[in-house]
Amino acid sequence: MYGLPALIQVLTFSVLICCIRHGLSLEPDDKLQTLGNDEPNKRQLEQSINPLGGSRVLLALLPRDDESDSKEQPPQFDYAYQIKREKDGRMIICGRTTCPPGTEVNPCKINNSDDTCIGCPPGKQMLDQTRSEAYVLHCVDIPSCHNWPGTVETAENHKCTGGFRMRCRCNTEDGKCGYDPCHCMKRSCAEGESLQQNCTCKPLVEPEVTTRR
Ligand SMILES: *[C@@H]1O[C@H](CO)[C@@H](O)[C@H](O)[C@H]1NC(C)=O
Ligand SMILES: *[C@@H]1O[C@H](CO)[C@@H](O)[C@H](O)[C@H]1NC(C)=O
């Protein structure tokens, strides 16, 4: 009959004591200062907080900020600036880099150093900028213009429909024209004219202005 109300009373009391103890033990000095320098009162309160010797025992158990800050932490891996690669079963962390066209990414060999860029070897090319990834893109063979009928080698890159680029152009000296080396067009010009890259014909010499008197 008295069981339930008595239990609720005990629980309420426990929670109350618990809250007082926790609330005071977290910031005991502030709470104590509000009581002024009344020593007997202070000691009495400390004992009510913790009979084992006051709030300072609890404080000593809390982690101290200055201690955790001074501890040496291993550098945090940052995916935006670093890349992990496996080499001979061991993990190597490299700083990412971006390499301009004509070069490729050279993965770092020493742990926690940066990737570098190296120029393409002769006969190879890299048309685009590349970035450090787990696997690096290597320079590729410069396509031979022999594989594209009607083209000749040239210094600059020409783009095919679809984006493929190569240092080949349609050979106007051989009656082929256009800007897409994968799709050269055939044109023939009249005698005394030369075929232009844009498939127009241009007189070899300016027509003489004949004047008659
Ligand atoms: C490289 O350093 C990382 C920590 O930064 C370490 O986990 C890894 O084992 C090291 N790898 C080598 C090959 O020393
Ligand atoms: C074709 O190219 C020549 C120069 O090579 C230029 O004079 C001419 O205007 C161009 N024609 C067209 C239609 O673009």
Side-chain angles (χ1 to χ4, degrees):
M1 223 182 179
Y2 296 108
L4 194 59
L7 185 66
I8 288 170
Q9 247 183 12
V10 166
L11 280 177
T12 311
F13 188 69
S14 308
V15 167
L16 204 70
I17 291 297
C18 175
C19 290
I20 287 168
R21 286 185 59 169
H22 277 266
L24 289 178
S25 63
L26 284 174
E27 25 183 17
D29 285 337
D30 286 346
K31 301 275 179 189
L32 289 174
Q33 259 153 31
T34 61
L35 295 170
N37 288 326
D38 189 345
E39 275 303 315
N41 249 352
K42 194 171 169 179
R43 210 169 298 123
Q44 205 182 351
L45 189 68
E46 277 191 4
Q47 269 159 16
S48 74
I49 291 164
N50 191 338
L52 284 175
S55 56
R56 281 165 228 291
V57 172
L58 285 169
L59 263 187
L61 295 174
L62 294 170
R64 278 167 55 194
D65 285 347
D66 53 328
E67 218 170 0
S68 50
D69 280 353
S70 64
K71 210 175 277 176
E72 271 298 316
Q73 293 276 319
Q76 194 78 32
F77 177 78
D78 189 338
Y79 185 79
Y81 300 103
Q82 293 175 304
I83 187 81
K84 279 181 186 169
R85 296 191 188 93
E86 213 178 291
K87 194 171 183 284
D88 309 324
R90 296 191 72 183
M91 196 66 82
I92 287 192
I93 295 172
C94 299
R96 286 181 188 266
T97 191
T98 300
C99 294
T103 68
E104 66 177 47
V105 173
N106 183 31
C108 82
K109 308 282 189 298
I110 298 161
N111 209 8
N112 294 308
S113 66
D114 291 339
D115 281 355
T116 54
C117 303
I118 45 166
C120 292
K124 300 216 171 202
Q125 67 175 4
M126 176 68 81
L127 296 174
D128 299 298
Q129 176 180 288
T130 56
R131 194 166 177 261
S132 296
E133 297 295 349
Y135 297 96
V136 303
L137 288 172
H138 292 290
C139 299
V140 293
D141 288 335
I142 295 173
S144 168
C145 297
H146 292 132
N147 298 327
W148 283 270
T151 66
V152 283
E153 284 180 21
T154 182
E156 69 280 5
N157 277 293
H158 289 263
K159 202 188 273 183
C160 289
T161 310
F164 187 78
R165 286 161 292 172
M166 53 186 169
R167 289 177 198 165
C168 307
R169 65 170 180 86
C170 299
N171 187 4
T172 49
E173 286 73 42
D174 190 32
K176 312 293 188 312
C177 61
Y179 292 110
D180 179 345
C182 296
H183 299 94
C184 291
M185 289 173 284
K186 213 173 169 157
R187 288 282 188 282
S188 48
C189 291
E191 194 78 31
E193 289 182 325
S194 75
L195 182 61
Q196 306 296 297
Q197 207 66 51
N198 63 9
C199 293
T200 62
C201 293
K202 193 176 158 190
L204 280 171
V205 286
E206 291 301 316
E208 270 184 54
V209 182
T210 50
T211 50
R212 277 194 183 183
R213 297 210 170 169

